[in-house]
Amino acid sequence: MATVHDAVEVIIAKRDGAELSDSQIDWVVDAYTNGVVADEQMAALAMAILLNGMNRREISRWTKAMIASGERMDFSSLSRPTSDKHSTGGVGDKITLPLAPLVAACGVAVPQLSGRGLGHTGGTLDKLESVPGWQASLSNEAMLAQLEDVGAVICAAGAGLAPADKKLYALRDVTGTVEAIPLIASSIMSKKIAEGTGSLVLDVKVGTGAFMKDLARARELARTMVALGTDAGVHTVALLTDMSTPLGLTAGNALEVRESVEVLAGGGPADVVELTLALAREMLGGAGRSDVDPAAVLASGKAMDAWNQMISAQGGDPSATLPVARETHVVNAPSSGVLTRLDAMAVGLAAWRLGAGRAKLGDDVQAGAGVVWHARPGDPVTEGQPLLTLHTDEPARFERALASLDGGYDIAPAGTPFAATPLLLDRIS
Ligand code: URA
């Protein structure tokens, strides 16, 4: 029989820097999921974990306990291998949208259980819900059938998957305990391991617009997650990628869907294409299909076919006109020269304040709201040219969005040397 502990005993142990035993971890995660440990007790424990950390054994046990809190999915009946991608969250990060159909078109099934945006980072489900008719919820049976027929599913995780994480994530979000590496790693990996993917590629974002602001912490998070995945028998690789500048040229739900469709049509911003292909290569490698060249498949139009099927299978109309915001406001370049910095956090906050994101769980998002930038760092700009266009249905939102862009970009005199930050910073396997 499982040992019964006491919440205060577990909190005090971690507060005083002790290692938690396997049985303390199993008990506290289970008791929290079942309402025996109260929110305020788990909040205190989360803060103690943030301040004092956890060792590998504790993180591994915590992850297992979160997996055990719910169901595990099984894709072993599928006729093709599975691979999934998870991003730790960024601004303009629409990569899942072109990536899932691309990898499906390469012959590997992609079961993407995605989330909604919170704060300044966007969520894949919010983006796809701007496609008229598209539904985020699927039963496990419908998901399996779509994976077999189309090869790609992007949907909401059902309530049965890692319920401990659902509760704990919402609590962390309002108690200043999101940024703890043991809690981020176990949150992400419990969901991915429970989901049952055969291989996994992690896109760990680094920079102002990411949870991890510096490379050292991002590496530690990536190593922790790769170890958790590998120990659970999931082939796991992490790419560390730059999030000091937002990805592509758009942040906002329908705006990002439009940009993703451009990528699937063979165009789109170079950085979005580069990252989509880099992640696709890793996913194919993890699934044992390194023989397929995703660039050739993208150019062939087969990824676009897979996108159309994937959207239609979930009730969406891929040919429908996407929503457009009622109002726009243009920010012009204040001087001529070269754009040397466009800050991801400033753009993410602006998009959020324009209505692309929600202030709290359950709020509605605006499909058409967001930011379009007309130059990327390294591009020449001329005084008075449009630099950013803000989109929203509610013009009262412009003022606060403009405030978040204050100091969010730099223009240096023409000829100033400019060294671009590489998009791909490291790879951990
Ligand atoms: N994404 C998650 O799913 N969990 C975290 O803790 C952070 C990002």
Side-chain angles (χ1 to χ4, degrees):
M1 211 175 94
T3 316
V4 175
H5 292 270
D6 182 274
V8 179
E9 159 220 319
V10 180
I11 296 165
I12 288 176
K14 189 42 78 184
R15 182 198 70 187
D16 292 347
E19 272 184 38
L20 299 184
S21 68
D22 288 353
S23 106
Q24 283 176 316
I25 290 172
D26 292 350
W27 178 81
V28 82
V29 171
D30 179 62
Y32 178 58
T33 311
N34 294 313
V36 172
V37 167
D39 275 347
E40 58 270 26
Q41 294 176 312
M42 190 48 115
L45 180 59
M47 186 58 81
I49 292 170
L50 182 137
L51 295 173
N52 290 329
M54 275 181 156
N55 65 22
R56 276 286 154 84
R57 180 198 53 78
E58 291 174 287
I59 300 175
S60 167
R61 191 72 186 201
W62 188 277
T63 307
K64 286 187 180 128
M66 298 231 289
I67 296 169
S69 72
E71 62 178 345
R72 289 187 76 153
M73 299 184 73
D74 180 8
F75 299 128
S76 59
S77 63
L78 291 176
S79 61
R80 37 183 158 177
T82 50
S83 190
D84 193 5
K85 185 270 308 192
H86 183 88
S87 158
T88 55
V91 179
D93 184 2
K94 69 274 298 168
I95 301 294
T96 294
L97 274 47
L99 180 66
L102 171 60
V103 172
C106 293
V108 170
V110 184
Q112 260 278 338
L113 297 179
S114 295
R116 296 183 186 282
L118 195 66
H120 74 282
T121 64
T124 301
L125 301 181
D126 295 329
K127 294 172 198 182
L128 281 172
E129 276 175 349
S130 65
V131 177
W134 187 85
Q135 296 295 325
S137 296
L138 283 186
S139 67
N140 290 357
E141 295 70 36
M143 184 179 179
L144 203 64
Q146 187 174 326
L147 275 176
E148 187 61 46
D149 296 346
V150 178
V153 174
I154 301 175
C155 66
L161 204 89
D165 179 63
K166 282 201 179 61
K167 230 179 140 180
L168 182 54
Y169 190 81
L171 184 73
R172 287 164 57 212
D173 195 45
V174 293
T175 54
T177 50
V178 169
E179 283 86 353
I181 286 178
L183 297 179
I184 297 178
S186 55
S187 163
I188 292 174
M189 295 308 293
S190 61
K191 286 175 285 200
K192 293 293 157 183
I193 295 167
E195 166 199 286
T197 184
S199 61
L200 176 65
V201 180
L202 299 161
D203 182 2
V204 179
K205 299 289 185 198
V206 191
T208 58
F211 287 130
M212 297 293 117
K213 309 290 179 203
D214 64 79
L215 206 48
R217 273 178 63 74
R219 275 204 187 96
E220 190 189 336
L221 175 63
R223 287 203 185 101
T224 307
M225 292 196 289
V226 168
L228 286 171
T230 308
D231 288 352
V234 181
H235 181 287
T236 309
V237 169
L239 295 185
L240 270 59
T241 70
D242 179 58
M243 188 33 72
S244 52
T245 295
L247 269 170
L249 293 169
T250 59
N253 300 313
L255 292 168
E256 293 191 49
V257 171
R258 201 167 290 125
E259 190 170 277
S260 303
V261 172
E262 281 168 27
V263 170
L264 290 162
D271 60 335
V272 178
V273 176
E274 180 188 348
L275 187 51
T276 303
L277 291 176
L279 290 164
R281 285 191 191 99
E282 294 291 352
M283 289 171 76
L284 293 170
R289 294 304 314 267
S290 324
D291 54 306
V292 184
D293 174 12
V297 174
L298 184 61
S300 75
K302 288 190 184 131
M304 180 69 100
D305 296 342
W307 162 266
N308 289 332
Q309 289 165 17
M310 179 181 89
I311 295 297
S312 305
Q314 286 171 248
D317 177 359
S319 59
T321 308
L322 291 166
V324 176
R326 281 196 285 274
E327 307 282 339
T328 55
H329 177 96
V330 177
V331 177
N332 293 320
S335 57
S336 294
V338 55
L339 183 70
T340 52
R341 186 177 67 90
L342 179 63
D343 183 68
M345 182 55 110
V347 172
L349 275 180
W352 178 35
R353 289 177 174 179
L354 288 164
R358 48 177 72 73
K360 56 181 188 327
L361 278 174
D363 284 357
D364 284 334
V365 296
Q366 290 181 26
V371 180
V372 176
W373 44 108
H374 305 288
R376 292 190 48 80
D379 288 348
V381 292
T382 307
E383 184 178 343
Q385 77 157 76
L387 190 60
L388 300 137
T389 305
L390 315 188
H391 298 244
T392 184
D393 291 335
E394 298 164 85
R397 291 177 175 265
F398 284 133
E399 194 181 331
R400 291 197 70 226
L402 287 167
S404 63
L405 289 166
D406 240 11
Y409 52 87
D410 293 329
I411 297 172
T416 305
F418 171 77
T421 310
L423 183 56
L424 301 178
L425 301 170
D426 203 354
R427 177 182 189 276
I428 295 191
S429 59

